Amino acid sequence: MTGFGPRVVLVPDLGENLARAMEELEDLLLILQGAEDEGAALPSPLAGGAALAALRRLWRAVAPTQGRRAAESWLAGRLYGPGLVEHVPLRLVDVDPIDVATLSATARVIGIGAGGVGAVREALESDRGYLSGAELVVAAARISGLLDLADTAESILLRERLAAAGPGADVVLTPAQEAAYQATAMRLDAMWPRR
């Protein structure tokens, strides 16, 4: 744990979309770790497995809130607006700000590496999965953006409501909480657009 301690953030349940991006990003970082083991020089935070370790800690925190994993973890509570209109659920997640900053730096470094020469570009051009190298850079930036979204009065109100309900509980929002949800969902959608 860092001197800063964990930060509680709101994370939308993105089903398997976030899981797929995290898995592909992990695959890329494993390829880069293999290249480093064979003598390639990697920039920080890719060097020494720092980015891989941060990503894995973040995924351990976020995974139980996503899709089928949320149901398996008994965290799949539903979120309703007034009139019982169902919303994309938001879940509370404790993340280490240092890990989020490391993931943000990772997105920047792999983005720079995509246009250069060397191990990062080669890893991005390898046939790893569904996401192209460019899509993977964007996904890494979006994940760090989701986990680093600045607090607002609306997000604090929602965090307090969800914390009071408890993990996995269904929640019906009041009109004020509904307005807070809409404002927060718009900001989260800017980081990870719903498809």
Side-chain angles (χ1 to χ4, degrees):
M1 195 55 46
T2 69
F4 295 108
R7 175 177 179 246
V8 179
V9 298
L10 290 167
V11 177
D13 185 340
L14 299 169
E16 296 307 306
N17 290 333
L18 187 58
R20 185 176 306 116
M22 291 286 248
E23 289 167 2
E24 290 201 30
L25 187 54
E26 180 182 38
D27 288 347
L28 173 71
L29 295 175
L30 286 168
I31 291 168
L32 289 169
Q33 185 176 43
E36 185 177 37
D37 291 345
E38 293 176 6
L42 298 178
S44 179
L46 301 176
L52 181 60
L55 179 74
R56 286 178 169 168
R57 285 188 297 269
L58 289 170
W59 183 235
R60 276 194 303 274
V62 173
T65 69
Q66 300 298 301
R68 65 176 170 75
R69 293 164 189 82
E72 292 166 359
S73 302
W74 298 96
L75 296 176
R78 294 187 176 141
L79 187 60
Y80 298 98
L84 298 180
V85 175
E86 190 169 359
H87 293 311
V88 170
L90 300 179
R91 308 235 163 78
L92 300 175
V93 177
D94 291 336
V95 297
D96 186 332
I98 300 297
D99 287 340
V100 176
T102 301
L103 182 58
S104 180
T106 299
R108 182 178 44 77
V109 168
I110 61 176
I112 292 168
V117 294
V120 175
R121 183 172 179 165
E122 289 172 16
L124 286 167
E125 291 177 348
S126 68
D127 186 22
R128 303 167 327 283
Y130 295 105
L131 298 177
S132 70
E135 290 169 328
L136 199 51
V137 171
V138 170
R142 285 182 171 167
I143 294 165
S144 65
L146 276 177
L147 300 177
D148 196 30
L149 205 59
D151 284 330
T152 62
E154 293 86 1
S155 65
I156 292 168
L157 177 67
L158 288 172
R159 274 203 329 259
E160 290 172 351
R161 175 65 177 104
L162 294 172
D170 289 346
V171 174
V172 178
L173 301 174
T174 66
Q177 293 164 347
E178 170 71 9
Y181 175 88
Q182 293 301 329
T184 303
M186 187 180 310
R187 294 175 70 227
L188 291 168
D189 284 348
M191 290 297 135
W192 195 285
R194 283 183 261 178
R195 299 191 201 296

